[in-house]
Amino acid sequence: MTFFKNISKVLQQNIREYGMYIALVLIMVIFSVMTKGVFMSARNISNLVNQMGYIGVLAVGMTLIIVIRHIDLSVGFLAGFLGAVAAIALKYWGLPVYVVIPMVLVLGIIAGLITAFPVARLGVPAFVTSLAGWLIYRGLLQLVTAGTGTIIIEDKAFNALGNGFIPDFPDMGFLPGIHKVTLLLGLIAIVLFVISAINDRRNKQAYNFEVLSMDMFVLQLVVVSAVIAYITWILSGYNGISWTLVIVLLVVGVYDFIASRTVLGRHIYAVGGNPDAAELSGINVKNIVFVVFGSMGMLSALSGILFAARLQSATTTAGTLFELDAIAAAYVGGVSAAGGVGKVTGSIIGALVMMSLVNGMNLLGSDISLQYIIRGIVLVVAVVFDVMTRTRGK
Amino acid sequence: MNTALLEMRSITKEFPGVKALNNVSFQVAQGEIHCLVGENGAGKSTLMKVLSGVYPFGTYSGDILFNGEVQRFNRISDSEKTGIAIIYQELALFPELSIYENIYIGHLQDKGFLVDWNEVIRKSGEMLKKVRLNINPATKVKDLGVGKQQLVEIAKALSKDVKLLILDEPTAALNEDDSENLLNLLRDLKHHGVTSIMISHKLKEVISIADTVTVLRDGQTICTLDAHKGEVSEQVLIKNMVGREIDHIYPERERKQPGEVVLEVKNWSAYDPALGRTVLKNVNFQLRKGEIIGFAGLMGSGRTELARSIFGNSLGYRIEGELFIKGQRQHFTHPHEAIEAGIAYVTEDRKGNGLILIQDVKQNISIANLTELAEHWVVNDNAEIKVATEYKTSLNIKTPTVEQKVGNLSGGNQQKVSLGKWLFVKPDILILDEPTRGIDVGAKYEIYTIMTRLVAQGMSIIMISSELPEVLGMSDKVYIVSGGKITGELPIEEATQEKIMQLATNY
Ligand SMILES: Nc1ncnc2c1ncn2[C@@H]1O[C@H](COP(=O)(O)OP(=O)(O)OP(=O)(O)O)[C@@H](O)[C@H]1O
Ligand SMILES: [Mg+2]
């Protein structure tokens, strides 16, 4: 019975981190039951991931913004506006997609730097400058779509980013109807995860740091591997991994690596933890503000691209309320408004939680008003839970 | 003087990985001044936090008896209601608010929903009189010096009708006059029936004020000494605190002929646009290789401003004058340039701008020199752990692992982390601003030994300190700063406390 005692001990000690995952699983199970399995169907999961993508990338950027004690309200309409710019460039300027995407991303970076300028140089609160951005980009979005209304995008490669799937091996007779590349990638992911987990544990042991006991460690490996296996299995039964999922995973992977492993990431968290101490440690706090807002601008552009590709068009209201969804996702994912705390991976789970609610309730046909109320409640509960588990340690 | 006002019985308090208090018993008699001493991390602050309800009933084991009754405090306001007031190691005032708002913030006199400000101001005036602070209660707290802020804290405690006043290192940041003033106030309060518990690392103070002293070591009560029976002396206290005798307060130091000039400041003046005033006027000094120079002076005399204006001018002063590092003229615009030129600055305010309290020991030690631990901008975690563990050992930092959050360390151990962080930068010039503030006797000696070793290896040190004995004990040369100017320069052979004090009050 020590096994179960160990489980409950590990859960209690890491309740804050695991709480989010448990909530996600709970939501998924509840919706599965209520929709008689439709929620966890291959088609819906695939759909859910694509729905989550454009908020997910924003939530990743927003995490770092909140970590350095700022906020960016402009990201929603910036995404909408840059999505429209992409549509115009493809349709009216006739530019090829491989020019349009980098161009829009660069425009996003520039927009982020402009938001950051008064913040870093003059100490204007980011709430104010980004609120100004919210107004300006909303105006610009309406301006560029005023003459045409909705702009239909016909470029297939561009639209694939929001709707397409990665190609499979040619049919060789075995495993018919199953997306084999997806399965293979899932397998590779599991192997990489297991190897890195074992290495990490060895390293920690070498320094006498606390590690999970052996049975808990094996349990952790099994659970995570099973989840990856299950998800790849579901996805491979439909069309496989979507391009949106590839992009989201890449963004999360790169940002998580930067945040947790690089000098830049350490500097960002140091600035969030204590800006004065960071400055005296030789970190240029202003530059960090520029970098983080620049990255937010780039991810806004990416979000705009994903959204336009998904709708295969740019609309006059694209991006409405994205910023609030992204902020909510980050808070559900464990970011602290006091600064210096919050993981990119947490925020992506937060985005998944919020999008699961929307998706599940849509399947149930519940009213949009009820959806907002439920999401509001979940946000509050998540943050209260977070604050309580944080202070309990004292 | 023999009835026990407070009795704490077999108190045990554990944090993950640390037993901060192990079966501690502690008694305070009615009407006495009881001092609590012990090394950094001995558990003094923790014991007081248990007493005042910061750690609620149930998170520790043992009993608290106050006025003969068992108390179960669930929060600070519970202990306040029974007449216990605590003033923490770090001041907890609101700098932007006025004195009277600070004093009554927790219990505003209300008539229904409205605050009767006139009454509040009148009462605040009374409280200020009790602490002998003759100033307008409408003054903003940020405009007061630390000494006066400390008195406001006491006024705040008195306003709550206090029977037992707890002060955690109240004089750590005060100069001698302000400290003396505060001690006199405590004596005064004693005559009015207020019992006090004071934590301090300044043993001279303890000896002058204590009726009784309790010594803690490693979370245990070592002994309780009665001053009126002559049991309290510096020797005895140190022996009980550290567990061995310390004969020298300052390590032996071979004073060699100092080497070439490594840092020179010429006609250095600084204007602070934020405050709208000149903070430094025409400062000139020289630092040589292998030398320790001391900067003495009163709080607010401009020593920290001088250090920060040299160290990358991060406060944005408008500077005139010249700075030479190893003969090269420098114009630093950011601390990282100063760091690259070989300067390190250990701040006086470790919580405010020294450390990142929510991060762990290793992250704090590495932050100013991450590039050394990184390859292609990727931090090598193992190398980081190794370096941090080395400093943990060499500085004797008390923490279960280097993965402990710095905010969870005791004050003195935080100071050592702050020192370790800057030693890891491997500077040629080390500026120490109040390096032993809040540090116990044993650890002070360790820090002095480290300083001695560093200068022997060729480092040069600027030590800013308000503790004159330390300045006299460690420096090769003393500069006295007053009102943003250097009012004197004394070779160590000629320096005495009297001469320094006279120059320090000379504008
Ligand atoms: N919140 C906490 N979490 C974990 N450990 C803690 C916490 N608070 C204190 N400790 C540990 O408990 C021990 C006692 O700390 P405490 O602050 O009481 O020391 P102290 O005697 O006041 O020292 P100092 O003179 O340096 O202020 C230390 O080892 C410290 O690291
Ligand atoms: Mg303490």
Side-chain angles (χ1 to χ4, degrees):
Chain A
M1 281 304 97
T2 51
F3 182 67
F4 290 104
K5 248 190 225 152
N6 279 345
I7 290 185
S8 86
K9 197 177 121 202
V10 169
L11 277 183
Q12 271 173 18
Q13 278 172 356
N14 300 297
I15 190 74
R16 188 146 60 91
E17 257 197 276
Y18 293 168
M20 217 159 47
Y21 294 94
I22 295 171
L24 182 59
V25 171
L26 217 65
I27 288 169
M28 291 188 154
V29 170
I30 291 174
F31 280 129
S32 293
V33 172
M34 289 175 77
T35 59
K36 306 201 174 61
V38 178
F39 183 82
M40 283 309 277
S41 69
R43 192 195 169 87
N44 191 53
I45 289 296
S46 201
N47 197 10
L48 172 63
V49 168
N50 287 2
Q51 261 182 351
M52 188 271 291
Y54 51 87
I55 296 300
V57 293
L58 286 181
V60 166
M62 195 62 79
T63 310
L64 298 185
I65 296 270
I66 300 175
V67 160
I68 62 164
R69 308 181 178 195
H70 287 301
I71 195 77
D72 191 342
L73 299 175
S74 69
V75 297
F77 284 118
L78 178 59
F81 169 59
L82 291 177
V85 170
I88 291 168
L90 287 168
K91 182 152 180 173
Y92 299 118
W93 304 345
L95 293 177
V97 66
Y98 55 82
V99 172
V100 170
I101 290 176
M103 177 188 83
V104 170
L105 292 179
V106 169
L107 285 178
I109 295 176
I110 295 171
L113 296 179
I114 293 174
T115 311
F117 189 81
V119 179
R121 287 297 153 108
L122 307 171
V124 178
F127 190 92
V128 176
T129 58
S130 69
L131 184 59
W134 187 96
L135 291 165
I136 291 167
Y137 296 129
R138 180 172 202 180
L140 286 173
L141 172 59
Q142 289 184 355
L143 195 68
V144 295
T145 53
T148 51
T150 301
I151 305 166
I152 307 290
I153 302 171
E154 273 134 22
D155 190 292
K156 289 223 167 54
F158 185 86
N159 289 340
L161 295 176
N163 300 292
F165 296 87
I166 60 173
D168 198 4
F169 297 125
D171 194 6
M172 288 176 297
F174 76 105
L175 288 175
I178 297 283
H179 198 277
K180 289 167 280 292
V181 171
T182 300
L183 274 191
L184 189 68
L185 289 175
L187 197 67
I188 293 174
I190 291 175
V191 171
L192 286 181
F193 167 73
V194 171
I195 293 176
S196 84
I198 292 176
N199 273 340
D200 189 51
R201 185 182 152 89
R202 273 217 201 108
N203 255 330
K204 287 205 161 154
Q205 275 174 327
Y207 289 104
N208 288 328
F209 286 170
E210 219 182 316
V211 290
L212 291 175
S213 62
M214 198 59 193
D215 52 348
M216 287 302 108
F217 179 65
V218 172
L219 182 72
Q220 188 193 29
L221 290 187
V222 170
V223 169
V224 175
S225 305
V227 170
I228 300 177
Y230 182 60
I231 291 173
T232 27
W233 179 251
I234 290 185
L235 290 177
S236 65
Y238 185 57
N239 283 330
I241 295 176
S242 64
W243 284 114
T244 303
L245 181 56
V246 171
I247 292 171
V248 170
L249 287 179
L250 265 178
V251 167
V252 172
V254 168
Y255 270 77
D256 186 48
F257 182 79
I258 291 175
S260 59
R261 300 294 315 279
T262 65
V263 173
L264 175 63
R266 292 297 195 81
H267 284 181
I268 290 172
Y269 282 81
V271 168
N274 184 344
D276 293 337
E279 182 86 13
L280 282 177
S281 303
I283 299 169
N284 196 322
V285 175
K286 287 180 183 154
N287 287 354
I288 296 291
V289 171
F290 278 115
V291 168
V292 171
F293 273 88
S295 106
M296 182 78 255
M298 184 187 72
L299 292 175
S300 305
L302 184 58
S303 167
I305 291 170
L306 289 177
F307 189 68
R310 188 171 158 73
L311 298 188
Q312 311 195 351
S313 61
T315 64
T316 49
T317 55
T320 311
L321 293 186
F322 283 13
E323 66 280 352
L324 297 187
D325 281 334
I327 294 168
Y331 278 114
V332 169
V335 177
S336 154
V341 177
K343 279 188 183 170
V344 168
T345 45
S347 298
I348 208 76
I349 299 295
L352 208 52
V353 166
M354 295 308 258
M355 267 307 154
S356 298
L357 289 174
V358 174
N359 177 296
M361 288 198 284
N362 275 339
L363 288 181
L364 290 172
S366 48
D367 197 50
I368 191 94
S369 49
L370 187 65
Q371 296 191 10
Y372 279 120
I373 294 170
I374 301 275
R375 282 157 71 191
I377 293 171
V378 169
L379 173 61
V380 170
V381 169
V383 176
V384 167
F385 178 77
D386 191 54
V387 170
M388 278 171 46
T389 48
R390 220 186 278 278
T391 47
R392 196 196 49 173
K394 283 194 174 173
Chain B
M1 274 269 252
N2 28 33
T3 47
L5 174 69
L6 168 76
E7 191 176 349
M8 298 179 81
R9 283 190 197 146
S10 316
I11 305 285
T12 298
K13 166 84 190 161
E14 280 182 70
F15 296 107
V18 202
K19 205 169 211 175
L21 297 173
N22 185 3
N23 209 5
V24 168
S25 294
F26 180 58
Q27 274 197 17
V28 178
Q30 171 68 47
E32 70 170 347
I33 296 180
H34 195 125
C35 287
L36 193 54
V37 300
E39 287 180 296
N40 297 127
K44 306 178 296 291
S45 298
T46 306
L47 186 66
M48 292 303 108
K49 285 182 186 165
V50 165
L51 173 57
S52 60
V54 174
Y55 301 129
F57 179 76
T59 61
Y60 58 88
S61 67
D63 291 321
I64 300 175
L65 275 81
F66 187 69
N67 265 333
E69 284 168 42
V70 175
Q71 306 287 350
R72 299 181 168 184
F73 302 132
N74 287 315
R75 55 190 72 82
I76 304 172
S77 56
D78 290 353
S79 69
E80 279 175 1
K81 269 181 220 133
T82 39
I84 299 176
I86 178 161
I87 298 174
Y88 298 103
Q89 199 158 353
E90 49 287 330
L91 293 176
L93 296 172
F94 300 95
E96 288 294 335
L97 295 185
S98 65
I99 295 180
Y100 67 82
E101 284 166 310
N102 267 288
I103 291 183
Y104 280 101
I105 192 93
H107 50 133
L108 287 166
Q109 317 287 302
D110 46 4
K111 287 181 187 163
F113 282 120
L114 296 179
V115 177
D116 182 351
W117 286 114
N118 291 328
E119 177 69 5
V120 168
I121 294 173
R122 189 187 62 77
K123 284 203 178 173
S124 301
E126 271 175 30
M127 293 305 147
L128 289 182
K129 231 175 262 158
K130 279 196 196 170
V131 297
R132 290 181 286 180
L133 200 54
N134 189 11
I135 83 188
N136 183 350
T139 317
K140 276 193 185 173
V141 162
K142 67 168 184 192
D143 296 330
L144 303 176
V146 250
K148 289 188 175 143
Q149 290 191 14
Q150 195 65 262
L151 295 178
V152 172
E153 281 270 18
I154 296 179
K156 184 175 165 188
L158 294 179
S159 75
K160 293 170 190 161
D161 204 14
V162 58
K163 296 196 191 74
L164 177 64
L165 181 64
I166 304 168
L167 304 111
D168 195 348
E169 298 192 36
T171 60
L174 301 192
N175 64 32
E176 290 194 19
D177 281 348
D178 284 342
S179 302
E180 196 46 47
N181 192 7
L182 188 130
L183 297 184
N184 282 333
L185 176 63
L186 289 187
R187 292 188 183 102
D188 214 43
L189 290 173
K190 176 169 127 179
H191 293 302
H192 289 88
V194 178
T195 311
S196 313
I197 300 175
M198 183 175 92
I199 299 177
S200 179
H201 288 295
K202 298 187 177 171
L203 299 181
K204 294 216 166 60
E205 262 173 36
V206 170
I207 291 164
S208 89
I209 198 171
D211 296 304
T212 317
V213 182
T214 293
V215 183
L216 290 186
R217 192 200 313 153
D218 293 333
Q220 288 175 304
T221 322
I222 297 301
C223 60
T224 298
L225 305 166
D226 188 338
H228 301 292
K229 291 188 191 146
E231 293 171 355
V232 177
S233 74
E234 202 160 334
Q235 289 295 341
V236 174
L237 289 180
I238 292 177
K239 185 157 172 276
N240 282 300
M241 282 169 67
V242 191
R244 65 193 145 84
E245 310 229 9
I246 294 184
D247 319 322
H248 307 284
I249 302 182
Y250 303 101
E252 285 297 320
R253 184 157 155 238
E254 205 187 324
R255 285 184 214 267
K256 284 186 290 199
Q257 196 60 34
E260 73 276 10
V261 175
V262 289
L263 181 150
E264 180 165 21
V265 164
K266 278 188 188 161
N267 303 323
W268 192 255
S269 298
Y271 174 82
D272 185 347
L275 295 178
R277 63 184 178 85
T278 304
V279 288
L280 296 168
K281 273 169 250 149
N282 208 15
V283 171
N284 290 282
F285 75 89
Q286 276 190 345
L287 174 69
R288 290 173 179 276
K289 191 174 162 76
E291 187 181 47
I292 300 179
I293 60 174
F295 275 89
L298 302 179
M299 301 277 159
S301 58
R303 295 167 302 164
T304 296
E305 288 78 358
L306 175 58
R308 292 199 59 173
S309 71
I310 293 170
F311 188 69
N313 189 26
S314 57
L315 292 172
Y317 296 147
R318 264 178 249 146
I319 290 178
E320 277 166 41
E322 294 167 297
L323 168 66
F324 296 89
I325 307 294
K326 289 169 224 154
Q328 293 242 341
R329 174 108 195 248
Q330 297 284 4
H331 302 267
F332 299 141
T333 56
H334 192 274
H336 85 255
E337 294 165 359
I339 295 170
E340 254 155 49
I343 309 181
Y345 170 60
V346 182
T347 71
E348 63 173 338
D349 180 5
R350 57 182 173 251
K351 291 204 159 133
N353 55 25
L355 297 169
I356 301 167
L357 298 177
I358 56 168
Q359 293 193 351
D360 62 21
V361 172
K362 67 174 157 50
Q363 285 167 327
N364 272 282
I365 287 182
S366 65
I367 190 66
N369 195 13
L370 273 175
T371 38
E372 180 169 325
L373 294 172
E375 226 174 289
H376 308 300
W377 286 80
V378 177
V379 179
N380 182 338
D381 292 338
N382 290 333
E384 182 180 39
I385 292 168
K386 211 166 139 219
V387 164
T389 312
E390 274 166 29
Y391 283 103
K392 170 181 176 300
T393 318
S394 68
L395 297 176
N396 199 6
I397 300 171
K398 256 192 217 163
T399 170
T401 69
V402 293
E403 291 209 311
Q404 176 76 284
K405 283 209 175 94
V406 166
N408 288 343
L409 299 189
S410 78
N413 284 300
Q414 290 178 355
Q415 181 69 16
K416 291 184 187 173
V417 173
S418 187
L419 187 62
K421 158 180 165 180
W422 288 108
L423 291 184
F424 177 49
V425 172
K426 296 173 198 131
D428 303 318
I429 298 163
L430 179 63
I431 307 177
L432 299 170
D433 200 346
E434 305 288 358
T436 62
R437 179 180 285 177
I439 287 215
D440 71 55
V441 263
K444 263 187 192 169
Y445 185 77
E446 285 167 23
I447 286 183
Y448 298 144
T449 313
I450 294 164
M451 288 170 66
T452 313
R453 193 176 72 219
L454 293 173
V455 289
Q457 290 163 1
M459 201 186 278
S460 313
I461 296 180
I462 296 176
M463 181 175 70
I464 298 171
S465 173
S466 302
E467 290 193 39
L468 285 185
E470 164 176 289
V471 172
L472 293 172
M474 291 301 296
S475 317
D476 296 305
K477 186 162 68 174
V478 184
Y479 288 95
I480 297 97
V481 183
S482 175
K485 285 183 291 200
I486 292 199
T487 51
E489 173 184 345
L490 298 170
I492 196 65
E493 304 79 34
E494 295 171 25
T496 62
Q497 295 222 14
E498 292 70 39
K499 272 194 201 163
I500 292 178
M501 277 322 288
Q502 200 216 331
L503 288 164
T505 44
N506 177 357
Y507 290 92

